[in-house]
Amino acid sequence: MFTIRNTKTFKDSVHGYIDVPKSFVETLMDNEYFQRLRNVEQTGMRVLYPSAKHDRFSHSLGVFHLGNRAVDALLDNFSKDQYWHIESDNQSILYWAKNKVLFLIACLLHDVGHAPFSHSLESQLIQNSKPLVKGKKNSSSPLEDSD
């Protein structure tokens, strides 16, 4: 369909070589927020498999790679138009290219906000959090302020 040229290649132990656009690397990955994912464990399996790499950096690259394959397969199915019967004009390629880029950015950045052990500690964080919005109290809200 269409590809993004000028890429940087990463070697992944699961997916092999992953090509990431250099513009993504320079603007999204080469900063302290994304790089800290190298030190955040995805799972606790390193104890059982010491050479296994389960950090969120590698995970995010894998999600990017699989997302890229999924969106390309979807767009390929659209172009064959066997099932969809979608009529389009010449602008549709640009529309889908922009949406592919946005989707791939979301794939790459989906874990940037995670803290270490974030899923394990979610219940504690919710219990100890103050509500973000002051006002009416919702009795069913887990973030309810306990005065």
Side-chain angles (χ1 to χ4, degrees):
M1 178 81 29
F2 50 84
T3 58
I4 303 170
R5 304 217 189 289
N6 197 13
T7 61
K8 179 174 182 177
T9 303
F10 292 86
K11 174 72 168 119
D12 184 71
S13 59
V14 175
H15 303 291
Y17 293 101
I18 299 174
D19 291 325
V20 180
K22 282 189 179 176
S23 60
F24 285 18
V25 173
E26 293 165 359
T27 60
L28 303 173
M29 296 174 68
D30 283 348
N31 64 60
E32 62 188 277
Y33 304 109
F34 194 85
Q35 291 298 315
R36 69 177 270 285
L37 296 177
R38 292 178 185 273
N39 300 317
V40 180
E41 292 289 321
Q42 176 70 11
T43 66
M45 299 307 289
R46 200 169 297 217
V47 174
L48 296 173
Y49 305 100
S51 63
K53 192 163 177 100
H54 295 276
D55 58 62
R56 290 192 187 269
F57 183 91
S58 298
H59 168 71
S60 294
L61 281 176
V63 171
F64 170 86
H65 173 70
L66 293 176
N68 197 13
R69 289 182 58 190
V71 77
D72 282 346
L74 176 70
L75 294 175
D76 188 47
N77 283 337
F78 277 166
S79 69
K80 291 177 183 168
D81 199 23
Q82 294 174 0
Y83 307 105
W84 308 104
H85 307 293
I86 297 172
E87 293 184 26
S88 65
D89 57 7
N90 291 337
Q91 294 293 324
S92 66
I93 278 280
L94 184 59
Y95 171 80
W96 285 107
K98 288 178 181 180
N99 280 288
K100 177 180 178 177
V101 168
L102 291 175
F103 177 72
L104 293 178
I105 289 171
C107 289
L108 194 60
L109 297 180
H110 81 279
D111 268 352
V112 167
H114 275 289
F117 307 108
S118 59
H119 290 300
S120 302
L121 300 176
E122 281 173 351
S123 62
Q124 293 297 317
L125 290 171
I126 289 173
Q127 288 176 359
N128 296 322
S129 295
K130 299 279 185 192
L132 296 174
V133 179
K134 299 234 180 218
K136 274 184 158 179
K137 289 188 177 185
N138 180 357
S139 60
S140 64
S141 171
L143 298 177
E144 184 175 319
D145 192 8
S146 56
D147 300 76

